[in-house]
Amino acid sequence: MKKTTLLLFFISLSCFVDAQSFIGYLSDNYSGVHGLISNPANIADSRLKLDINLAGASGFAANDYYGINIFDSFKDTYSFNTDPKKTPTNDNNGLGNIDVLGPSVMFSLSEKSSIAVFTRGRFFFNANELNGNSIESLDDEDVADFNINEGNFDFLANAWAEVGITYARVIWDDRQNFLKGGASIKYLKGMGSIYGVGNNVTINYDEDGTDLGGGQTTGSISSTGFINYGRFDEFDNDNYEYEVPDNASGFAFDVGFVYEWRPDYYDYRSGGAFKNERALNKYKLKLGLSITDIGSINYKDGIKEGYNITNTGVSEDEFDNADDIGDFLNNFYTQTDAGVGYDVDLPTALHFNADYNFNGKFYLNLNTDFSVMKKSRKTANRVANNVSLTPRYESKWFGFYLPLTVVEGSGFRIGAGLRAGPLYLGSGSIISAFASDNNRQADVYAGLKIPFFHKDSKDKDGDGILDKYDDCPSKPGPVENNGCPWGDKDKDDVLDNEDKCPDEKGPAENNGCPWTDTDGDGIPDKDDVCVNTPGDAENNGCPKKVIEKVQKDLNEYAKVILFDYGTPVINQESYEVLNDIVKILKEYPNARFMIEGHTDSTSSSGWNQRLSENRANSVLKFLVDNGVNPSRLTAKGYGETKPIAPNDTKEGRALNRRVEINLIKSN
């Protein structure tokens, strides 16, 4: 009978707790259409251009009351009644779900937008503030009589199908910062629901409390409190043939945003422009925020009733012989409320997701799911608040993840999952379930799909420019030349991109341009002392008579450069001569000169060498200080090594103490 079904269902509710569907898999960048489950923005800029889900399901079971050792449970001697560890409290809570993603498809409309159409079947059940000690009393076979002090409690089960459409697009893209958003709208078809709310409920059962006469007895039930009880209109049918409610429907929507930080955006530059390579994950850090399942289902023909269940000595036979729970409640208790139609809220939840990309293959994902439905809302489904940290490896055809999750009311669990081509399967708790001798949770998901990935772009020549944008895909070349190597049109060994005169040969030191030769004597101006007068190479581009005159004038002036005795200090009487030398040097701005210092042999050779060097440098300094380019001058001391007269006479020694300024001839 339905009342028995309801009782078993009511008790079983405390054994389930739910968290997110498809744990681990939804963090995968190749999850395709599944990405819209947690955040509709995920399908924009997807790694898949088309994704067809054939069928997939995710189911969860966990509790804070009943725990088993999975390995021991396979033994023949294991008793599921006495061997499990039970943790009854006055406030055992539970909820759970089954999530079936039916035939669904996601496809890219363009580089910036995608769309998805999906079908989904879902079943949620919640139970709050159940007294685990009451369950313990019911489960004790050695005790015939029992007392249940349930107090306040509520439970809800709801099944529905949904058909939805999702649209997502890129909102902002400045290459380093990338933002996309998406929304889903869903039509909901209620498939059935039941709920109950109890206030100050107590139930006492006496196995022999009712005297049937003739020495026969049966149990009696005494109770206090209030119950509100609702169910879809087909629930009370006695033929057990399930029928979909006619007037149960609604709408819901999801909305979400995803931000990506792309500090290495320059790596995706090709052909001088930035390209959105959709086959690649370009982010270093991805952040997602979404809210899902905003909506409700209206069971227009649903039945809702309220009862004061305060009564004593109700016969157990009356309970057993009642047609259904409603018939029993109406016959023995006072109805306080009656009506038709009620709403069931969907499990509205807020999701935050952070994904860190280590190297394009290895990632670390942080995800939180937070229920925004108040517990005071008795006809509302809820997800369990949870936080999960998931390291994962992913590539186009294979992914593996290891979710570590903390679930409200269920504790810590470790799972594993994988994606291999069209197959995806996993569990959010399989590792912890087998590692624990008091496992109170289990979940699993699996499915098949047909993925169509965006093609990987090739870079055959390894120049950082993808082949489809590379004008020379077989030869490496820079972005500025569209992937082609630079040429050398004038064959001067200076590449055209650095050659200021690409049509004329020229040396690299002149940026590929030929040197200027103003007087046309074949000697570049940079080496030509007489820029405007043709000359010979051996005379630094000057006519021979010009060179002879310059050298003669310099020699005459140099003879009268005087120094203080025994020092490199120039005598002020020589300043006028030196200024005349400056004028001569400036007349030939391209000429280079050697300043030579010489001494007699009256002192030691070391002293003479140092003195000659210092005097030559003193002259060089004077010339530079008065505007001669220092790059044109060289100073050198020869000491006593180059006399021009004998050192054994006073006159000879005077001639040997000299400074010479000589034109440096080019080779």
Side-chain angles (χ1 to χ4, degrees):
M1 293 173 59
K2 285 291 180 67
K3 63 178 185 305
T4 305
T5 304
L6 175 61
L7 181 62
L8 293 175
F9 172 71
F10 169 73
I11 295 174
S12 69
L13 280 178
S14 62
C15 300
F16 296 90
V17 175
D18 165 58
Q20 184 195 68
S21 301
F22 302 97
I23 293 177
Y25 181 50
L26 297 186
S27 65
D28 195 323
N29 287 299
Y30 294 91
S31 62
V33 69
H34 281 77
L36 62 82
I37 292 176
S38 60
N39 190 330
N42 282 330
I43 67 170
D45 190 47
S46 171
R47 305 291 76 82
L48 288 79
K49 60 182 177 181
L50 174 66
D51 187 38
I52 303 172
N53 185 72
L54 301 177
S58 176
F60 298 83
N63 76 99
D64 58 0
Y65 169 75
Y66 184 90
I68 65 172
N69 183 308
I70 293 181
F71 290 106
D72 289 346
S73 67
F74 290 104
K75 299 177 181 178
D76 293 337
T77 58
Y78 191 83
S79 170
F80 283 92
N81 184 43
T82 59
D83 290 338
K85 295 182 179 180
K86 300 173 184 178
T87 312
T89 70
N90 293 328
D91 188 16
N92 287 116
N93 298 285
L95 54 111
N97 92 339
I98 296 173
D99 192 345
V100 178
L101 186 66
S104 305
V105 61
M106 180 220 78
F107 57 92
S108 295
L109 296 174
S110 67
E111 283 194 359
K112 290 193 173 183
S113 61
S114 296
I115 195 169
V117 178
F118 59 93
T119 62
R120 203 171 168 195
R122 303 171 70 183
F123 175 50
F124 260 77
F125 36 91
N126 304 77
N128 302 304
E129 300 182 61
L130 297 178
N131 191 327
N133 295 300
S134 300
I135 301 174
E136 186 83 355
S137 298
L138 292 171
D139 198 39
D140 190 348
E141 297 179 354
D142 296 328
V143 177
D145 300 336
F146 58 83
N147 297 318
I148 297 176
N149 185 10
E150 188 58 46
N152 300 330
F153 67 88
D154 61 89
F155 65 88
L156 168 67
N158 184 33
W160 73 96
E162 57 188 44
V163 178
I165 184 169
T166 300
Y167 176 76
R169 68 169 290 108
V170 176
I171 299 173
W172 176 37
D173 181 7
D174 68 358
R175 304 187 183 100
Q176 182 168 338
N177 300 287
F178 181 86
L179 179 67
K180 56 186 179 179
S184 299
I185 185 169
K186 305 179 283 190
Y187 170 74
L188 313 173
K189 177 59 181 175
M191 307 299 288
S193 68
I194 180 174
Y195 73 88
V197 179
N199 298 107
N200 300 317
V201 174
T202 65
I203 300 175
N204 298 320
Y205 174 76
D206 184 349
E207 184 181 34
D208 300 318
T210 302
D211 187 353
L212 299 178
Q216 299 294 317
T217 62
T218 187
S220 66
I221 303 170
S222 299
S223 59
T224 63
F226 296 86
I227 289 178
N228 287 289
Y229 165 50
R231 66 277 190 195
F232 70 104
D233 50 307
E234 295 294 329
F235 184 81
D236 290 335
N237 288 343
D238 285 331
N239 55 18
Y240 294 96
E241 294 181 2
Y242 170 76
E243 294 183 16
V244 177
D246 292 329
N247 295 314
S249 62
F251 288 92
F253 66 92
D254 310 332
V255 63
F257 298 91
V258 173
Y259 166 79
E260 294 182 5
W261 178 51
R262 300 175 172 183
D264 301 323
Y265 67 92
Y266 200 87
D267 294 345
Y268 308 101
R269 186 173 185 260
S270 291
F274 291 91
K275 307 296 181 181
N276 184 18
E277 290 304 314
R278 288 186 283 170
L280 305 175
N281 292 325
K282 296 171 281 296
Y283 66 87
K284 192 66 176 177
L285 177 65
K286 178 171 69 174
L287 303 174
L289 184 67
S290 64
I291 186 167
T292 59
D293 291 322
I294 305 171
S296 62
I297 300 172
N298 179 237
Y299 286 87
K300 293 181 181 180
D301 296 333
I303 302 168
K304 57 182 181 180
E305 298 172 323
Y307 294 91
N308 180 341
I309 62 169
T310 302
N311 201 350
T312 58
V314 178
S315 169
E316 184 179 4
D317 285 355
E318 298 289 353
F319 178 82
D320 291 337
N321 295 327
D323 291 334
D324 53 52
I325 290 294
D327 180 58
F328 175 73
L329 291 173
N330 280 315
N331 288 335
F332 291 95
Y333 303 103
T334 303
Q335 189 174 54
T336 59
D337 186 26
V340 176
Y342 58 87
D343 290 331
V344 177
D345 293 318
L346 266 59
T348 309
L350 182 69
H351 311 275
F352 172 76
N353 189 277
D355 201 49
Y356 186 80
N357 180 350
F358 286 99
N359 60 5
K361 296 291 185 181
F362 292 94
Y363 298 78
L364 184 63
N365 185 268
L366 173 68
N367 183 81
T368 65
D369 303 306
F370 179 75
S371 175
V372 299
M373 298 304 301
K374 295 181 179 179
K375 289 188 176 181
S376 60
R377 177 65 176 165
K378 302 307 182 183
T379 56
N381 294 125
R382 279 183 292 276
V383 301
N385 300 330
N386 69 89
V387 178
S388 61
L389 189 67
T390 305
R392 78 179 185 281
Y393 169 87
E394 69 174 37
S395 63
K396 179 186 290 186
W397 289 103
F398 179 78
F400 179 78
Y401 8 92
L402 196 70
L404 297 86
T405 310
V406 177
V407 183
E408 178 186 19
S410 179
F412 178 70
R413 61 189 185 184
I414 306 175
L418 63 84
R419 169 182 51 84
L423 172 68
Y424 54 92
L425 59 89
S427 166
S429 60
I430 188 169
I431 295 177
S432 55
F434 279 92
S436 173
D437 63 353
N438 184 26
N439 180 58
R440 297 180 294 180
Q441 51 197 329
D443 68 277
V444 67
Y445 62 85
L448 288 171
K449 62 164 53 187
I450 305 174
F452 295 88
F453 303 102
H454 287 290
K455 291 183 178 179
D456 290 330
S457 298
K458 304 297 182 182
D459 181 14
K460 188 163 41 179
D461 56 14
D463 60 3
I465 303 173
L466 302 175
D467 290 349
K468 61 183 177 180
Y469 308 119
D470 197 332
D471 288 348
C472 301
S474 299
K475 297 179 180 179
V479 169
E480 294 78 11
N481 203 35
N482 293 325
C484 292
W486 292 108
D488 183 11
K489 200 185 308 181
D490 55 11
K491 308 298 182 185
D492 60 0
D493 295 327
V494 181
L495 297 179
D496 292 344
N497 65 308
E498 298 177 350
D499 198 333
K500 300 298 184 183
C501 303
D503 297 315
E504 298 180 85
K505 286 187 176 182
E509 56 266 32
N510 200 37
N511 298 317
C513 291
W515 294 110
T516 302
D517 182 11
T518 302
D519 56 14
D521 59 2
I523 301 171
D525 288 355
K526 71 180 184 68
D527 299 321
D528 198 333
V529 173
C530 301
V531 175
N532 296 305
T533 305
D536 303 318
E538 61 269 21
N539 292 319
N540 295 316
C542 292
K544 184 175 181 181
K545 61 180 181 179
V546 173
I547 292 299
E548 290 175 348
K549 182 178 184 306
V550 170
Q551 191 63 67
K552 180 181 177 182
D553 291 343
L554 290 174
N555 288 339
E556 289 299 324
Y557 281 119
K559 288 179 181 179
V560 292
I561 298 175
L562 304 176
F563 297 89
D564 293 343
Y565 179 78
T567 73
V569 178
I570 300 173
N571 192 302
Q572 289 189 358
E573 297 176 6
S574 301
Y575 286 179
E576 184 176 353
V577 171
L578 285 169
N579 284 325
D580 291 336
I581 293 174
V582 170
K583 292 177 182 178
I584 295 173
L585 299 186
K586 288 184 177 180
E587 288 179 9
Y588 303 95
N590 293 333
R592 293 180 293 115
F593 298 90
M594 171 71 80
I595 303 169
E596 298 179 0
H598 302 274
T599 66
D600 59 24
S601 60
T602 55
S603 298
S604 67
S605 59
W607 168 264
N608 290 332
Q609 177 63 35
R610 288 191 296 275
L611 182 62
S612 65
E613 291 174 356
N614 291 336
R615 286 180 171 178
N617 283 316
S618 292
V619 173
L620 184 148
K621 183 177 185 305
F622 183 95
L623 297 176
V624 171
D625 289 345
N626 286 274
V628 179
N629 190 327
S631 65
R632 299 172 53 206
L633 303 175
T634 303
K636 188 172 182 179
Y638 289 95
E640 60 189 59
T641 60
K642 289 187 176 184
I644 58 174
N647 277 309
D648 56 0
T649 66
K650 181 179 179 180
E651 292 78 8
R653 289 193 297 274
L655 291 172
N656 289 335
R657 295 192 296 272
R658 70 195 187 277
V659 171
E660 296 179 1
I661 301 177
N662 296 313
L663 180 68
I664 300 174
K665 295 183 178 181
S666 61
N667 295 325

